[in-house]
Every structure is written in C-alpha cells, then in structure tokens.
Amino acid sequence: MPDSSPPPSPNSPWENGWTPDSSRAPGTRRLYLAGALAVTTIAACVTTIVVTDKQTDDTSRTKRADPSALPGADGPGLLSFASPSKQGTPTPDEHTSTAVKTPSATASAAAAENSSKPSAKTPSPSKSTSSHGSSSGSSGSSGSSGSSGSSGSSSSTAWKSIRSVNYPDRYWQVNGGLVKLNPVNSTAARRAATFKLVKGLAKSSCYSFATADGTYLRHRNFILRAERNDGSALFKQDATFCPRPSSTSGAVMLESVNYPGRFLRHQNFQLKLDRYQNSSQYRSDSAFRLVAGLN
C-alpha cells in the first residue's frame, strides 16, 4: 500500500526531521529575477533611444538634402538667415553707378575742364588720351580766323611773334616748311617770324597760329611745321595749343590739345612737341613770350 503520509512542512524543517538547503542564501532567485528584469528594462530604453535618434537624423538629412524645402514648412520656427529679403536686395544694375557705366564721358569732361583752366603751378605731365599717329598735310581752304588773347590782349587781327626766353634774340621762324628758332636780321626773316594769333581750331579757348600766306603751324611726327588746313579734325587738333603758366614771369608754355603733357620746346633750335620734364633746362626751352609782330 503506498505511503500516503503528507510531505514534511517546509516551515518546520527541524520538527519534521529534514535539513534545509543552506548551499545558497535565502532570496537569491528573486535577486536574479530582479536583476534580469532591470537589465531587460535598460536594454529596451537604450534600443528606444537609438531608434529615435536614428529617425531624427534621417529626417534632418532628408531636409538638408532637399534644397527646395524652405524653413518653417512643417511648422512654426525661426526664420533662416538664407531666406530671401523682400526689400533691400539690389539688382546688378542698381549696383552700377552712373560714373561706372559711363567712364569715358566722365574722363572727357575732366580732361576738358583741366585743359581749359590752366594751373597756377608749374605744369606737370598728364596722361595722353589720344591714339593719334603721324599724318600728312594736303592743300585745302584756309581755316577760319578769330580772336584770341595773349598776355592780357586780344584782337581779331592780333599779329604776334614768339620769342625764346633763354635765347631772347631768337624767334619762331618758318624756314623750309619747318619752324625753327632763328635770329631776325632781315625783312624776310621778320615776315617769316610773324604769325596771326587766332582761336584754336579744335578748341576756342586755346591758340592756333596762322602765317601771312594762309598756312597754319601744326605738329606732325611731333615736329612743328607750316601746312595748309585740310579741314580734317586731326589737322585742327594738331594745330591747336593751349597756353599754360611758365615758371618765367610773363612767359607761357604751349601744350598740345591732343597730346596733353607734351609742350612745344626748342631743341637744337628746332621747334618740336616734347613730353614734360621736371628740369630747369626743359622749362627754359619751353618758355616763350608772345610779343608784338615784327613785320
């Protein structure tokens, strides 16, 4: 017959004759279970955080990769610094000033003002704005005559002779078609050294010099010579000289209208157009006095 006696109660081991298991501390299983639960909870939290961060990064990358996505499209937020401004954004034309658009007009106005108003100081070389080359004269009608002042006087028939400052016994004189600095010792020489002072052919505030036989003094290849007016704009410019103050009292320097910075001076008694040099020799060679006509 099987034994039907009940198992001893675990609450009274000693009274029931069995020895309790003392190989592990009481409650160890519960600690294991609690630790496993804690580890599972921590792992779940970490997994959730990682997944959430990844989704956020993917969303940010998508927005940055899409250039058409404007800030604030998915909700209110701060306005991006790259957002276009409705006002104050100038077009390319608005950045361009009138002076930049038309530099030639400004430069021409400045050059005209500088050439029409002689400086009170010793002239200094200026940049040439002409691309003029050598030219040849041809027969034609005589140019218009006018009036122009010289040393405070003006007359429609002002006949003048031009005397050198550093060679006071020598005057401009047409000799063989060229203008040279020669002494005047005959009637023919005096006639060749007398010129009609008229308004500048290219600029009325400057001078042109006509001879008794209807030619004009003009520079060609930078050499001063007498030629007939061919009516061209180039001839008129070559035959126009603007008076500038000289370092010598009562004298003037004559600057080319189409070669600013170049003045008439004598060299080896030949009249030529030479670039300004800051030397006493140059200033003496380029200083002349306009006196009453010798003829």
Side-chain angles (χ1 to χ4, degrees), residues 248-261:
T248 303
S249 177
V252 296
M253 298 175 68
L254 296 169
E255 184 180 22
S256 169
V257 75
N258 57 344
Y259 277 88

Side-chain angles (χ1 to χ4, degrees), residues 114-294:
N114 291 336
S115 61
S116 63
K117 296 181 180 179
S119 172
K121 299 180 180 179
T122 301
S124 57
S126 57
K127 294 181 179 179
S128 174
T129 57
S130 170
S131 59
H132 161 66
S134 61
S135 63
S136 60
S138 61
S139 297
S141 61
S142 173
S144 62
S145 63
S147 62
S148 176
S150 169
S151 303
S153 63
S154 63
S155 172
S156 59
T157 56
W159 291 91
K160 298 291 180 181
S161 293
I162 300 95
R163 185 173 65 189
S164 170
V165 165
N166 53 352
Y167 287 89
D169 62 334
R170 290 176 179 261
Y171 296 79
W172 289 15
Q173 185 182 122
V174 178
N175 189 344
L178 301 178
V179 182
K180 298 185 178 181
L181 198 64
N182 289 334
V184 178
N185 48 19
S186 67
T187 302
R190 287 195 297 271
R191 185 175 185 274
T194 303
F195 306 95
K196 186 177 182 180
L197 191 67
V198 299
K199 290 181 179 180
L201 298 181
K203 190 173 185 179
S204 61
S205 61
C206 299
Y207 297 158
S208 288
F209 300 93
T211 64
D213 57 0
T215 62
Y216 283 87
L217 304 188
R218 60 88 60 97
H219 68 82
R220 181 158 56 86
N221 297 330
F222 301 125
I223 301 299
L224 191 63
R225 63 194 73 211
E227 292 184 356
R228 292 196 175 275
N229 184 4
D230 60 8
S232 66
L234 179 60
F235 185 97
K236 293 177 181 178
Q237 291 178 348
D238 289 350
T240 303
F241 305 93
C242 298
R244 303 293 185 229
S246 169
S247 58
T248 303
S249 177
V252 296
M253 298 175 68
L254 296 169
E255 184 180 22
S256 169
V257 75
N258 57 344
Y259 277 88
R262 287 182 178 267
F263 296 80
L264 290 175
R265 58 93 55 98
H266 67 83
Q267 195 169 41
N268 296 327
F269 302 122
Q270 171 70 59
L271 270 297
K272 59 185 294 187
L273 200 61
D274 198 8
R275 189 180 301 277
Y276 178 81
Q277 302 168 23
N278 188 18
S279 66
S280 58
Q281 183 65 52
Y282 182 95
R283 287 190 289 269
S284 297
D285 290 348
S286 59
F288 302 98
R289 289 189 172 94
L290 277 64
V291 299
L294 299 177

